[in-house]
């Protein structure tokens, strides 16, 4: 088994391909993320952004290439020249080390905010209810929701639900956080409260890959800005430089519409 072909990167993708039927969604993506970096991915709908980050935690299986997280192949092990898919329980164990925050919150409706945050550590890590509750309280305080611990998702605003979702992901103590358009389902006035939590995570050194259209966040917080279109990375660089002086015509077209 290769344990360190990722070369010290937190995430390394080599020529990653993904098909859905006849649709070739990822066409040989190469990508690297160092520990503690914040990488922001932008691009039009259908460009492969979401599919790519779903491949990083094996919610989607890649059809070609290699993908490592923290030096370990995602979803597979290598013996000799062959790849063998891991058992579901091994995939789940590795996935538990990667936090994922979705566009649509995905909270459990019959559970309160604190129960939503507790459920992963109890069910996946086998923590006691007391320890999980103690940690969940701290995390809800961290995202500014101490007052809403006992509220159900239906009683929370979209921004509050998304902050609970971030706390829930953090409860698993992930080494990497993936965000899939975390603010796109929110009313505009609620976007800031979620971005503030993400800024704080970046300050604390969390490695993050963020798919978003929030160019201001990318400029302010991102270490690199990646532009994807039609399943390939067309451009990548320092966010302020890419935004101010895009090198690719397609990047220019896209930014002219979102800025």
């Amino acid at each position: 088994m290769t344990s360190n072909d990722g070369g010290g990167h937190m995430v390394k993708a080599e020529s990653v391909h993904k098909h859905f039927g006849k649709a070739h969604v990822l066409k040989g993506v190469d990508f690297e993320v160092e520990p503690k970096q914040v990488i922001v991915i932008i691009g039009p709908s259908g460009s492969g952004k979401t599919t790519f980050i779903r491949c990083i935690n094996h919610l989607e299986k890649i059809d070609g290439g290699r993908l490592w997280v923290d030096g370990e192949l995602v979803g597979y092990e290598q013996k000799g020249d062959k790849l063998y898919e891991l058992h579901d329980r091994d995939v789940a164990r590795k996935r538990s080390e990667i936090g994922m925050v979705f566009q649509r919150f995905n909270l459990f409706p019959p559970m309160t905010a604190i129960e939503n945050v507790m459920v992963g550590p109890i069910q996946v890590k086998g923590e006691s209810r007391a320890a999980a509750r103690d940690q969940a309280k701290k995390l809800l305080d961290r995202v500014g929701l101490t007052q809403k611990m006992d509220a159900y998702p239906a009683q929370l605003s979209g921004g509050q639900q998304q902050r609970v979702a971030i706390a829930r992901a953090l409860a698993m103590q992930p080494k990497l956080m993936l965000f899939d358009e975390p603010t796109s389902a929110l009313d505009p006035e609620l976007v800031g409260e979620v971005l503030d939590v993400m800024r704080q995570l970046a300050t604390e050194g969390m490695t993050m890959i963020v798919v978003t259209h929030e160019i201001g966040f990318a400029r302010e917080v991102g270490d690199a800005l990646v532009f994807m279109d039609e399943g390939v990375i067309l451009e990548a660089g320092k966010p302020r430089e890419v935004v101010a002086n895009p090198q690719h015509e397609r990047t220019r077209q896209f930014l002219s519409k979102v800025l």
Side-chain angles (χ1 to χ4, degrees):
M1 173 168 174
T2 55
S3 63
N4 268 316
D5 272 4
H9 306 292
M10 180 58 78
V11 179
K12 182 176 172 68
E14 271 184 8
S15 194
V16 167
H17 288 261
K18 175 67 184 173
H19 295 81
F20 291 113
K22 290 181 178 173
H24 195 176
V25 181
L26 298 175
K27 303 172 183 171
V29 174
D30 294 307
F31 182 84
E32 292 176 356
V33 183
E34 306 305 324
K36 301 190 176 182
Q37 274 193 318
V38 177
I39 308 296
V40 178
I41 304 177
I42 61 172
S45 278
S47 59
K49 314 180 297 288
T50 291
T51 298
F52 180 58
I53 65 166
R54 287 173 66 85
C55 289
I56 291 172
N57 67 356
H58 207 57
L59 286 173
E60 302 289 355
K61 296 176 187 176
I62 66 174
D63 298 319
R66 295 279 194 280
L67 190 49
W68 294 267
V69 170
D70 199 19
E72 295 192 338
L73 281 168
V74 174
Y76 298 90
E77 63 176 341
Q78 187 166 339
K79 293 177 180 171
D81 293 335
K82 289 196 171 175
L83 285 184
Y84 296 88
E85 194 161 355
L86 294 174
H87 292 295
D88 287 348
R89 68 174 180 276
D90 294 321
V91 171
R93 181 177 53 77
K94 297 236 180 126
R95 189 180 290 140
S96 73
E97 300 174 344
I98 303 171
M100 179 114 183
V101 177
F102 300 89
Q103 190 173 346
R104 296 267 171 201
F105 327 136
N106 289 13
L107 297 178
F108 300 114
M111 293 184 182
T112 61
I114 194 164
E115 287 167 345
N116 265 282
V117 179
M118 290 166 61
V119 66
I122 291 171
Q123 291 192 355
V124 180
K125 291 191 159 183
E127 287 184 14
S128 71
R129 281 191 69 81
R133 186 175 179 84
D134 191 45
Q135 180 187 227
K137 276 184 175 174
K138 289 176 184 162
L139 287 168
L140 287 171
D141 180 52
R142 190 169 161 189
V143 299
L145 288 175
T146 305
Q147 264 58 55
K148 298 289 185 180
M149 284 195 309
D150 298 317
Y152 290 92
Q155 299 169 312
L156 301 172
S157 72
Q160 289 169 337
Q161 288 186 61
Q162 194 61 295
R163 284 187 280 153
V164 174
I166 293 172
R168 180 180 62 181
L170 291 173
M172 297 300 288
Q173 299 175 313
K175 57 178 76 167
L176 168 68
M177 285 282 283
L178 308 175
F179 292 86
D180 183 17
E181 301 201 23
T183 59
S184 64
L186 300 178
D187 291 334
E189 67 268 26
L190 302 178
V191 168
E193 64 192 53
V194 173
L195 293 181
D196 283 345
V197 172
M198 293 167 65
R199 279 189 195 94
Q200 184 62 34
L201 286 178
T203 305
E204 292 164 7
M206 175 62 75
T207 311
M208 296 159 58
I209 303 173
V210 184
V211 171
T212 186
H213 293 310
E214 300 291 337
I215 304 295
F217 174 84
R219 256 194 307 234
E220 181 190 342
V221 181
D223 295 297
L225 181 62
V226 172
F227 176 70
M228 283 186 76
D229 190 31
E230 295 188 352
V232 294
I233 292 174
L234 288 182
E235 186 161 351
K238 294 219 171 294
R240 289 175 187 276
E241 292 171 13
V242 173
V243 172
N245 187 25
Q247 299 301 299
H248 198 286
E249 176 57 31
R250 186 69 188 89
T251 319
R252 276 196 286 278
Q253 288 172 0
F254 178 79
L255 286 171
S256 73
K257 293 189 173 76
V258 299
L259 285 176

